[in-house]
Amino acid sequence: MSRRQLERGAALRGVVTSEGITPLRSDFPLDGSGPDDDCNILHLDMDAFFASVEQLRHPEARGRPVIVGGTGPRSVVSSADYIARRHGVHSAMPMAQAMRLCPEALVYPPDGAAYREASEAVMDILGSVTPLVQPLSLDEAFLDVSGARRRLGGPVRIAAMIRERVRREQRLTCSVGVAATRFVAKLGSTHCKPDGLLLVPTQEVHGFLDPLPIGALPGVGDKTERTLVRLGLRTVGALSRADPDMLRMELGEKAGIRLAALSRGEDPSTVVPDTPDKSVGAEETFAEDVDDPGLIDRELLRLSEKVAHRMRVSGQVGRTVSVKLRRADFSTITRARTLSESTDVAREISAVARALYAASGLKGTPLRLVGVRVEGVAPVEQAHHQLALGEEDSGWRDVERVMDRVKARFGPGAIQSAVLAKRDENDV
């Protein structure tokens, strides 16, 4: 298979062969007795998901380039449809640059509730096929269909059925990669986008991977890529033939072994349904750089309340609090501290976050973004809080739970901390 074929993308319904990517024939065996015999892993990726949902909600957007994102001076692109992408627009691009590239685009603000609703509907379709569904985000998931084959047919048949149901029931399109491993299935869906299906048979994995650029491997960032290029390893195939000892020496034991295995198409990871979140976070990009420590402290409090509320709603607690501080030049630092006991209390989280900010050496430095995250989260029933001798329960957890109930009944702005309320009054 030539690199040119891969860069141009696959046919909408294709299979990797020794001659390249060829269309799935009408006589392809759909019972799993063909080249998909051991390819039980599917990776589904919705096509331009946020933008596609907005096109459904706004009929005037049909056939027009669509961008999802904010409109402020610091806003970035959250999603762009394929018309806008042909103009060079992509996610995480500054909105101002996106509008210069595609001035005729329609811009819609993100609507998380609408995207979650559409995502849940798609995940329900996947759950009706197999219980072994592992969502990675709102718009992508892995499936293990080995247990569904007797009822629904082979993996390619199941993938085609899923794509048809998503199109018919949700009026959205998705791309699906079919392979024997998660890693190769995910690459398959990437190469058949948009609105495609690609089978990578086990016997064709090397031919599929070898011509890919080294950056196609997960875990190969800019630094690792520079190291590999310096060693003369520019393609996945070159990496697969490299000396394992050299890779371990240059990249470290763990990374060297992992990348060498991936370059050969080896991926031992399995589909794990309902993987719990390992962290809960929130961040804010300011419209203008902020150098006032008081304003930063109040923002850290607001973000801590948002994070704590999410944790209580999901029944989680966590032990490690971290802050993200991004300067005006985009350089970013993070600081973290692990507590003696797990918490879901905003007052405790914000106290640590503000202390980390105070110790960061950035007080008075203009910041464009701040963030708060709680890591090492676990179900609240697994946490146990025991008061030390003479210690009194502060009661803040109960207070914040009452605030949760008020917000649930009257809306998120019905009650807030006095510090934030005073700030809002001063802004009026």
Side-chain angles (χ1 to χ4, degrees), residues 144-292:
D144 184 334
V145 299
S146 55
R149 296 176 60 145
R150 179 174 297 180
R151 177 169 55 95
L152 299 174
V156 167
R157 183 185 183 90
I158 293 174
M161 180 200 68
I162 289 172
R163 293 181 66 244
E164 175 56 28
R165 285 192 61 186
V166 170
R167 183 191 302 275
R168 184 179 68 252
E169 298 174 22
Q170 301 303 317
R171 295 184 295 158
L172 297 168
T173 66
C174 63
S175 299
V176 180
V178 183
T181 63
R182 291 177 17 136
F183 160 58
V184 177
K186 184 172 175 64
L187 281 180
S189 68
T190 298
H191 282 284
C192 67
K193 290 182 75 70
D195 193 20
L197 187 161
L198 183 63
L199 165 66
V200 186
T202 300
Q203 63 270 25
E204 303 294 344
V205 165
H206 287 292
F208 177 65
L209 294 179
D210 283 0
L212 296 180
I214 200 68
L217 295 178
V220 177
D222 292 340
K223 182 178 179 181
T224 300
E225 184 171 8
R226 287 195 297 270
T227 299
L228 294 172
V229 169
R230 175 174 56 81
L231 297 172
L233 307 176
R234 298 179 179 274
T235 66
V236 175
L239 178 61
S240 70
R241 296 185 291 272
D243 181 359
D245 292 334
M246 177 189 69
L247 294 177
R248 288 194 291 268
M249 181 178 65
E250 293 286 346
L251 303 176
E253 184 76 14
K254 186 176 180 179
I257 292 175
R258 177 175 180 273
L259 288 180
L262 289 178
S263 70
R264 298 189 298 270
E266 300 170 5
D267 178 11
S269 61
T270 59
V271 175
V272 181
D274 298 324
T275 301
D277 293 332
K278 296 181 180 179
S279 66
V280 179
E283 57 187 42
E284 178 67 24
T285 299
F286 300 118
E288 296 181 358
D289 298 335
V290 175
D291 59 6
D292 182 345

Side-chain angles (χ1 to χ4, degrees), residues 377-400:
V377 300
V380 65
E381 58 268 17
Q382 295 181 9
H384 176 67
H385 176 70
Q386 181 174 348
L387 295 176
L389 183 64
E391 179 188 358
E392 295 185 1
D393 191 335
S394 67
W396 278 105
R397 178 175 285 103
D398 293 334
V399 170
E400 294 184 9

Side-chain angles (χ1 to χ4, degrees), residues 131-143:
L132 297 179
V133 178
Q134 182 177 351
L136 301 182
S137 62
L138 290 178
D139 61 347
E140 65 173 320
F142 283 113
L143 299 81

